[in-house]
Amino acid sequence: AQKITQTQPGMFVQEKEAVTLDCTYDTSDQSYGLFWYKQPSSGEMIFLIYQGSYDEQNATEGRYSLNFQKARKSANLVISASQLGDSAMYFCAMVPFGSSNTGKLIFGQGTTLQVKP
Amino acid sequence: GAVVSQHPSRVICKSGTSVKIECRSLDFQATTMFWYRQFPKQSLMLMATSNEGSKATYEQGVEKDKFLINHASLTLSTLTVTSAHPEDSSFYICSAATDRVGGNTIYFGEGSWLTVV
């Protein structure tokens, strides 16, 4: 079964500090993609970072980095130097590629991050 | 980058009426689009896969006669909520994937807030 698990319903972080949002996944596919999205209260899904299962290096995008540990099937998001605008809900998601990239995402439960001034 | 546009962003309708939500890929052709539903503070749940030129594939538990999906062209999918009831009030969001290989290939619309009164 394909599944994404985010075990932290809510997280607090002090402004300017780093925070790690946990994500573990389960899939039998050898090829898959892992995504992190930010969803503010407006509802839009903002793409943050992508990691392919065959990518050897951890993905980084500005203040976002993905700690990819394939053997442990974890894909934690690290946000450095937190800003007040980072307060939002964060989703980890996966696309098992199978024979092709269909774009069908499987989402975790989400983590609500609140940045304290 | 690729853009997906969703309309309307907010809609209020009366109980018993139908409402249509459009999802357009603006600068790429999408043979497959996805419709998700999200209740407050919950994750995105896949409702159906919209296939251009053929019937949509619905997830288990989603009433296909209530949530009509039409993918008449390579750039447009529509979701029609028929005979809407207050319990259909939710956030609906679509996504589409490009054919590009590697990296982020999935793009979301802005989402639609539906309120049934």
Side-chain angles (χ1 to χ4, degrees):
Chain A
Q2 324 270 17
K3 190 177 180 181
I4 294 280
T5 302
Q6 294 178 254
T7 57
Q8 307 154 312
M11 289 281 286
F12 288 93
V13 65
Q14 204 67 38
E15 193 178 8
K16 299 181 184 177
E17 292 186 351
V19 63
T20 298
L21 305 184
D22 294 341
C23 172
T24 58
Y25 61 92
D26 190 14
T27 180
S28 55
D29 283 89
Q30 295 300 308
S31 181
Y32 49 89
L34 295 161
F35 299 75
W36 275 94
Y37 293 93
K38 172 184 177 181
Q39 188 181 43
S41 56
S42 61
E44 60 181 316
M45 294 292 283
I46 301 170
F47 165 76
L48 296 178
I49 198 165
Y50 168 86
Q51 178 87 42
S53 58
Y54 289 109
D55 294 338
E56 293 186 353
Q57 292 199 341
N58 286 347
T60 59
E61 291 282 353
R63 294 187 298 111
Y64 305 107
S65 60
L66 198 151
N67 184 1
F68 181 45
Q69 298 190 37
K70 192 171 182 178
R72 298 177 63 180
K73 293 190 174 179
S74 75
N76 298 340
L77 175 71
V78 180
I79 305 174
S80 62
S82 297
Q83 301 172 356
L84 295 178
D86 293 336
S87 295
M89 197 156 186
Y90 288 80
F91 288 100
C92 179
M94 174 176 67
V95 170
F97 289 149
S99 59
S100 64
N101 176 11
T102 65
K104 184 175 180 179
L105 283 162
I106 300 163
F107 283 91
Q109 304 93 318
T111 296
T112 300
L113 176 67
Q114 293 189 41
V115 180
K116 294 181 175 180
Chain B
V3 178
V4 173
S5 178
Q6 190 172 338
H7 178 81
S9 57
R10 291 184 181 274
V11 58
I12 301 173
C13 71
K14 289 186 177 180
S15 228
T17 62
S18 296
V19 61
K20 181 186 286 187
I21 301 170
E22 294 186 346
C23 180
R24 294 182 184 272
S25 57
L26 297 185
D27 54 357
F28 67 99
Q29 293 182 333
T31 55
T32 306
M33 292 184 177
F34 301 90
W35 287 96
Y36 296 85
R37 181 177 185 177
Q38 185 183 26
F39 291 109
K41 300 193 184 301
Q42 294 189 22
S43 186
L44 280 74
M45 299 302 297
L46 179 66
M47 298 175 66
T49 302
S50 175
N51 305 300
E52 187 269 335
S54 65
K55 291 183 179 180
T57 305
Y58 289 83
E59 295 298 303
Q60 192 173 6
V62 177
E63 298 176 59
K64 59 182 178 183
D65 293 331
K66 179 164 189 62
F67 299 101
L68 299 179
I69 291 172
N70 186 1
H71 196 150
S73 77
L74 286 171
T75 59
L76 174 64
S77 174
T78 59
L79 168 68
T80 301
V81 183
T82 63
S83 187
H85 286 194
E87 55 264 32
D88 298 326
S89 298
S90 186
F91 183 68
Y92 295 87
I93 192 166
C94 68
S95 74
T98 66
D99 293 332
R100 184 167 59 88
V101 176
N104 178 41
T105 59
I106 299 171
Y107 299 89
F108 281 88
E110 300 91 336
S112 299
W113 295 92
L114 170 63
T115 302
V116 184
V117 297

